[in-house]
Amino acid sequence: MPRTSPAPSPAPPSTPTPTHCPYCALQCGMNLRAAAQDSDVVEVVERTDFPVNRGALCGKGRTAPAVLSSRVRLTEPLVRRPATGRLEPATWEEALSKIAEGLGRTQEVYGHDAVGVFGGGGLTNEKAYALGKFARVVLSTSQIDYNGRFCMSSAAAAHQKAFGLDRGLPFPLEDIPRTGCVILVGSNLAETMPPALRYLTELKENGGKLIVVDPRRTRTAEQADLHLAPRPGTDLALALGLLHIVVAEGRTDDAFIRDRTTGWEEARSAAMGHWPELVERLTGVPLPQLRDAVRMFCDAGTGMVLTARGPEQQSKGTDTVGAWINLCLATGHAGRPHSGYGCLTGQGNGQGGREHGQKADQLPGYRKLTDPAAREHVAGVWGVDPDSLPGPGRSAYELLDALGGDIKSLLLMGSNPVVSAPRAAHIEERLRSLDFLAVADVVLSETAALADVVLPVTQWAEETGTTTNLEGRVLLRRKAIDPPPGVRTDLEVMHALAALLGHEKGFPVDPEEVFDELRRASAGGPADYSGISYRRIAEEDGVFWPCPEGGAATGDVHPGTPRLFLDRFATEDGRARFVPVVHRPAAEEPDAEYPLLLTTGRVVAQYQSGAQTRRVDELNAAAPGPFVELHPRLAQRLDVSEGDRLAVVSRRGRAVAPARITDSIRSDTIFMPFHWPGEGRANTLTNPALDPTSRMPEFKVCAVRVEREPQD
């Protein structure tokens, strides 16, 4: 297959290549430099001029080049041989032919929707766009979604309801230190996005207040002026209780409500059913702390609420985020400088990944797949009949749950659901039940190990492409080195498969050419990238969307939109919408058989399913494996000592890991990180109960019991 050299070309070995970290949604700036002349090994060099991190990097970013090593990554295609049942090396021609045959045979026998496509929030915008186009044009399947559904889909749905537009942060990170008070809900920035912690430090240095909402006293919570530790699954009640107090104490911003919102009376009425004493009983947060939180937030002239996976990964996540947005609107902390609601997107391209077609119900530019005008526009760019585009398909968990049933074959790129999906043992069984599974990935993940064909693809430092960080800033990752022989880009994979399946045109391998097509497809949509180019991104340290193309006649250049909603919201009438919500229990509450609550999360040295970070020696030394965090009172009741092996049991399975005893967690709650497979896999336990709007699974709360395991 011919290769094209994406623009801009790699810098000479003596010149550092400016690029971005491959991990979280901060997309920290870094420089890559050859470790030695004529070497294909690169080292990370500080890039102090990039405004998001100003040179700071966490351990994952510093050690990211370790995964480029041929010692830990895939360097040749693998095909499962019937004679041995094992994955064995194959040529690219054989591997691609087997995928085309497997997908084509499935559709011939069972129909187009019998083939599913599952993407990832780490794919570049170009690859996410091409994958959505590939599913709908080449495969004509509606069955496509991606693991970003597990990240911030509840916040996205709430954003759409309230503001008419979903962008993680409606303002740049640099605005956070300038506000008067931040309520940080369900986020442990110190471990999940360490370079971002400085924004909270600067906030406090500037006299601002920090309120952290988390059932654990994390490293982030230790920085707070006020730490609220609600019972897992009660964030919705907490937000409603705070709004009740705001109303009762006459702290609403009536002019803002009158001039810039709709729906206040209904939302107010719903909140008033959550009186403080009831909220105290539901959440476990003392009433004086509730009043202190309201005082701190309302006394500040400006304020922000920032949420992360804590309140979002619940079966009522959309309503929960909506309640926090209502608090912002009622107090006038929205649509103004240094104020507003924002979601701290998690995955590296979780924002861009959902804007351009990987999601089951969306077309590029954040257009709705059910909108006839959107279908006509995108079909025109793609050169197909709008009626040929399939309709919306299943959400991520529902798609995975259907494997081996309605969906017989799956093409998966850049995701590891064997570790990351809820009810993971069940999802592993569904993957094993497929007629055919093809995986394209950097490493042989636990999911790739189940595949019939595995394709080795390039990584961040070996390819050029764009990502969109949590601010809505479109960034350029530049190629710094060539990949090992035998490794191809995802764009090359889709180009070759499309040709084998009868579509020789329409899938270029040059990422800049793909991006230019994406720009045209997004033009006029909510996430309009049409005015953004590789050149502009490089010159401006990224460009914030929406950024429509300027007028050709006048030569105007749109500056991009760092700050949304200052003049109007993105609704038809320009007003933000209050959405009335009421508290309801988690899908699964503790009982006599399962008396405790499990919540899950991350640790600083590992990332997501750990498929890449678990291959880095330095990171494994810092975080070698799973653990069960529990309170000393619970440990005493169970006769458990530090390091004892514990079994955590839910209605879905059993996980075993050593005990970590700490008074920084509630005594009715245990915590497990979710980065590891095997017997310590936390997602064996988690509940796939779905939010009715966002289809987000309830990762953050389920009922469990804890048992002492026989000690070695």
Side-chain angles (χ1 to χ4, degrees):
M1 175 182 297
R3 289 187 182 277
T4 63
S5 297
S9 300
S14 59
T15 304
T17 301
T19 190
H20 296 273
C21 177
Y23 292 115
C24 82
L26 283 180
Q27 288 296 281
C28 290
M30 59 169 62
N31 287 315
L32 295 180
R33 181 176 63 196
Q37 194 73 17
D38 301 323
S39 171
D40 60 356
V41 177
V42 294
E43 59 184 3
V44 172
V45 182
E46 205 175 68
R47 181 182 170 189
T48 57
D49 62 334
F50 185 64
V52 171
N53 61 308
R54 303 179 203 164
L57 293 168
C58 71
K60 296 186 291 292
R62 286 188 298 97
T63 61
V67 188
L68 298 169
S69 168
S70 297
R71 181 177 61 85
V72 300
R73 55 94 60 83
L74 293 165
T75 58
E76 57 186 347
L78 303 174
V79 169
R80 193 170 301 280
R81 303 297 179 187
T84 64
R86 293 195 296 267
L87 287 169
E88 298 178 5
T91 65
W92 269 97
E93 288 69 23
E94 180 189 11
L96 290 167
S97 294
K98 283 190 175 294
I99 295 175
E101 290 167 7
L103 302 182
R105 184 171 57 250
T106 296
Q107 292 192 319
E108 286 177 11
V109 175
Y110 299 105
H112 291 294
D113 279 358
V115 169
V117 177
F118 199 83
L123 300 181
T124 62
N125 289 319
E126 293 80 0
K127 292 189 282 189
Y129 169 82
L131 188 61
K133 180 181 178 182
F134 181 88
R136 295 181 173 104
V137 172
V138 177
L139 297 176
S140 296
T141 181
S142 67
Q143 301 303 302
I144 176 172
D145 211 78
Y146 83 128
N147 62 18
R149 179 79 66 171
F150 299 158
C151 184
M152 61 280 129
S153 58
S154 292
H159 257 130
Q160 293 280 11
K161 286 185 176 185
F163 305 131
L165 182 70
D166 162 42
R167 197 179 83 185
L169 293 179
F171 40 72
L173 285 162
E174 67 185 42
D175 284 3
I176 293 175
R178 303 174 186 173
T179 194
C181 180
V182 169
I183 303 179
L184 184 66
V185 189
S187 171
N188 182 12
L189 274 180
E191 299 206 41
T192 59
M193 296 179 174
L197 190 63
R198 68 176 175 83
Y199 291 105
L200 301 182
T201 301
E202 292 173 10
L203 166 76
K204 297 187 66 177
E205 289 172 350
N206 291 341
K209 300 296 184 182
L210 175 62
I211 302 168
V212 171
V213 179
D214 198 306
R216 304 166 62 222
R217 193 177 72 248
T218 63
R219 287 172 52 198
T220 307
E222 288 174 351
Q223 310 299 313
D225 297 285
L226 177 63
H227 173 213
L228 309 181
R231 183 176 179 268
T234 63
D235 306 270
L236 176 52
L238 178 63
L240 288 164
L242 296 180
L243 182 52
H244 184 291
I245 295 172
V246 167
V247 174
E249 294 185 354
R251 290 179 171 271
T252 55
D253 187 330
D254 296 336
F256 181 87
I257 292 170
R258 181 189 65 246
D259 296 339
R260 299 203 58 191
T261 73
T262 62
W264 167 237
E265 288 305 321
E266 294 83 355
R268 176 187 179 281
S269 178
M272 296 313 287
H274 301 77
W275 57 95
E277 293 78 8
L278 171 62
V279 170
E280 182 181 49
R281 291 199 300 273
L282 289 170
T283 65
V285 177
L287 179 53
Q289 289 189 1
L290 298 174
R291 297 194 186 281
D292 285 346
V294 168
R295 174 183 51 78
M296 292 168 63
F297 192 59
C298 292
D299 284 353
T302 54
M304 297 176 180
V305 173
L306 306 176
T307 69
R309 306 303 78 75
E312 298 165 17
Q313 287 181 328
Q314 298 184 31
S315 61
K316 52 181 181 292
T318 302
D319 284 356
T320 301
V321 173
W324 288 105
I325 291 175
N326 286 349
L327 180 67
C328 288
L329 296 176
T331 54
H333 290 339
R336 291 171 170 169
H338 309 143
S339 288
Y341 163 77
C343 162
L344 298 171
T345 302
Q347 295 189 82
N349 197 32
Q351 180 70 52
R354 69 182 183 267
E355 293 168 2
H356 298 300
Q358 278 191 105
K359 208 171 174 186
D361 56 351
Q362 286 175 195
L363 288 170
Y366 223 135
R367 288 180 159 92
K368 294 180 179 179
L369 191 52
T370 53
D371 178 2
R375 294 169 66 88
E376 183 175 0
H377 173 83
V378 174
V381 174
W382 289 351
V384 300
D385 184 340
D387 292 338
S388 71
L389 299 178
R394 294 176 173 92
S395 70
Y397 179 79
E398 293 166 305
L399 189 158
L400 295 171
D401 188 41
L403 300 180
D406 293 342
I407 300 175
K408 305 294 185 181
S409 295
L410 182 70
L411 173 64
L412 185 148
M413 288 186 162
S415 187
N416 188 19
V418 165
V419 179
S420 64
R423 198 185 173 197
H426 170 71
I427 296 305
E428 181 176 348
E429 290 175 2
R430 301 324 305 151
L431 284 159
R432 292 181 184 276
S433 74
L434 285 165
D435 292 353
F436 183 79
L437 172 63
V439 173
D441 209 334
V442 171
V443 298
L444 189 67
S445 69
E446 287 73 21
T447 303
L450 304 180
D452 298 286
V453 180
V454 181
L455 301 179
V457 291
T458 51
Q459 300 185 55
W460 57 292
E462 301 163 345
E463 60 186 9
T464 293
T466 62
T467 61
T468 306
N469 79 347
L470 76 172
E471 307 166 294
R473 188 193 303 251
V474 185
L475 304 168
L476 184 63
R477 285 190 195 160
R478 296 168 175 85
K479 180 178 178 179
I481 58 172
D482 289 323
V487 174
R488 296 182 181 178
T489 70
D490 293 281
L491 294 179
E492 290 173 328
V493 168
M494 285 182 271
H495 172 88
L497 288 176
L500 289 170
L501 291 167
H503 293 258
E504 295 187 359
K505 296 183 178 180
F507 291 87
V509 299
D510 180 345
E512 189 168 14
E513 186 177 346
V514 177
F515 187 75
D516 285 342
E517 183 181 310
L518 179 160
R519 292 169 60 195
R520 296 195 302 274
S522 75
D528 191 334
Y529 281 34
S530 60
I532 304 174
S533 64
Y534 275 26
R535 179 188 58 77
R536 280 196 64 183
I537 298 171
E539 291 176 354
E540 300 174 29
D541 278 332
V543 181
F544 291 85
W545 72 261
C547 182
E549 191 167 21
T554 62
D556 292 340
V557 175
H558 192 284
T561 315
R563 295 168 182 86
L564 296 168
F565 313 141
L566 296 183
D567 299 317
R568 70 188 311 274
F569 295 96
T571 56
E572 288 185 4
D573 60 6
R575 292 170 174 264
R577 303 186 189 100
F578 282 97
V579 178
V581 293
V582 295
H583 175 69
R584 59 184 185 274
E588 185 176 80
E589 291 286 342
D591 56 21
E593 188 176 2
Y594 301 97
L596 300 169
L597 291 166
L598 167 69
T599 192
T600 62
R602 289 169 47 191
V603 297
V604 66
Q606 300 289 352
Y607 181 72
Q608 304 298 67
S609 76
Q612 295 184 38
T613 52
R614 285 187 274 112
R615 287 166 168 79
V616 179
D617 292 341
E618 180 180 329
L619 300 179
N620 282 332
F627 56 86
V628 181
E629 187 176 280
L630 70 165
H631 192 275
R633 287 200 295 273
L634 178 58
Q636 184 178 24
R637 193 161 76 238
L638 297 169
D639 191 25
V640 167
S641 299
E642 181 79 14
D644 284 354
R645 281 169 53 82
L646 294 181
V648 182
V649 184
S650 78
R651 289 177 173 85
R652 289 152 296 281
R654 180 185 187 93
V656 178
R660 182 174 293 182
I661 301 172
T662 173
D663 62 2
S664 65
I665 192 169
R666 292 174 55 98
S667 60
D668 59 1
T669 301
I670 64 170
F671 167 83
M672 290 187 72
F674 60 82
H675 309 291
W676 289 274
E679 69 171 6
R681 180 174 59 186
N683 277 321
T684 296
L685 308 167
T686 49
N687 190 353
L690 301 180
D691 180 287
T693 302
S694 68
R695 315 310 287 169
M696 167 74 83
E698 192 153 63
F699 287 99
K700 285 301 180 186
V701 54
C702 69
V704 297
R705 66 173 181 266
V706 177
E707 302 168 350
R708 275 183 104 250
E709 280 282 283
Q711 306 303 306
D712 296 334

